[in-house]
DNA sequence: AATCCATATTCCCATGCAGCGATGAAAGCG
DNA sequence: CGCTTTCATCGCTGCATGGGAATATGGATT
């Protein structure tokens, strides 16, 4: 009967919820979102990302590690530098859904201009 | 020409990135995900959520507030108690995308059993 | 080997925040 | 009016983490 997981109609346990939360957390930071936005334009070296988003190199490296370990960004050694790129197109879908929701809510706030 | 925002091919500024990050942050916590999962089954009072996920009432109230302020959960006074429900179906899409991604990555980790 | 460059890592500090206990506030009910 | 129920809020503590400065690592060039 394969009672593996799935004990309560697909309700997730604590460990799995932590997994999900951990992945969401990768997106829950302006600096990391800025990095993702930069990578949306294609592969960039770490140095290019640093100059693009204007924070310290140490910080970019650290945030890139978080994104990589979340399976969101991919690293590739290319000659002397390291080239980064989006590892999973789900990034775009997630960001689009979230942005659309924000825009909807903003419209709802601003809409009552009707007179 | 409506030059509102949109200064660099749709790249978001710091404030807007913070908005996006803030919304993602609402999902970046196991307790809040457990609450959302419980509400996925329909409206629940605060008390029902408390007994369902097994943490303090104070904590549930606080996390519900965060979810409500993020526009993710809706509160409605019903008699003596407060009924909560999912305010935006985008919740389901987001969670589904994230879960699918995790399952894909897990499969990729477990797959190389080939010999 | 010495050196330069691009990244990664370590140490440190400050902030944020989840969780608990206690208290407050507000609506039903005797 | 008190009393209970239901939920929200406050104060607090411990832990996680974003960010900077300094340092380590590792490849390339000379």
């Amino acid at each position: 009967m394969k009672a593996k997981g799935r004990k309560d109609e697909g309700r997730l346990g604590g460990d799995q919820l932590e997994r999900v939360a951990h992945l969401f957390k990768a997106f829950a930071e302006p600096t990391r979102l800025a990095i993702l936005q930069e990578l949306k334009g294609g592969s960039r070296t770490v140095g290019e990302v640093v100059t693009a988003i204007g924070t310290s190199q140490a910080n970019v490296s650290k945030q890139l590690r978080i994104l990589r370990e979340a399976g969101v960004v991919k690293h590739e050694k290319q000659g002397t530098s390291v080239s980064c790129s989006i590892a999973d197109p789900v990034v775009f879908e997630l960001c689009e859904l979230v942005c659309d929701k924000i825009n909807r809510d903003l419209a709802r706030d601003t809409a009552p201009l009707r007179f």
Side-chain angles (χ1 to χ4, degrees), chain A:
Chain A
M1 249 261 195
K2 275 278 197 183
K4 266 288 175 70
R6 201 81 25 195
K7 67 177 79 164
D8 198 352
E9 272 242 355
R11 202 149 306 183
L12 303 180
D15 293 358
Q16 324 185 32
L17 287 180
E18 272 190 42
R19 239 178 237 278
V20 176
H22 187 262
L23 183 46
F24 271 121
K25 211 167 289 192
F27 296 89
E29 234 285 326
T31 303
R32 289 195 284 272
L33 290 175
I35 293 176
L36 290 177
Q37 229 185 186
E38 180 63 25
L39 295 184
K40 193 176 174 179
S43 283
R44 300 289 142 98
T45 70
V46 176
E48 285 170 341
V49 174
V50 170
T51 60
I53 74 176
T55 181
S56 76
Q57 178 266 324
N59 195 25
V60 169
S61 186
K62 195 196 294 186
Q63 306 308 330
L64 273 173
R65 192 159 103 98
I66 292 174
L67 290 171
R68 175 162 43 95
E69 287 176 344
V72 165
V73 158
K74 182 178 26 168
H75 284 209
E76 270 180 88
K77 284 186 186 170
Q78 285 206 348
T80 116
S81 56
V82 172
S83 156
C84 310
S85 56
I86 304 285
D88 193 325
V90 78
V91 172
F92 305 131
E93 306 181 54
L94 285 174
C95 289
E96 201 178 327
L97 279 178
V98 165
C99 286
D100 285 355
K101 195 252 187 301
I102 290 174
N103 288 329
R104 251 180 291 140
D105 291 357
L106 283 182
R108 199 157 294 154
D109 285 351
T110 330
L113 285 180
R114 231 168 330 141
F115 145 96

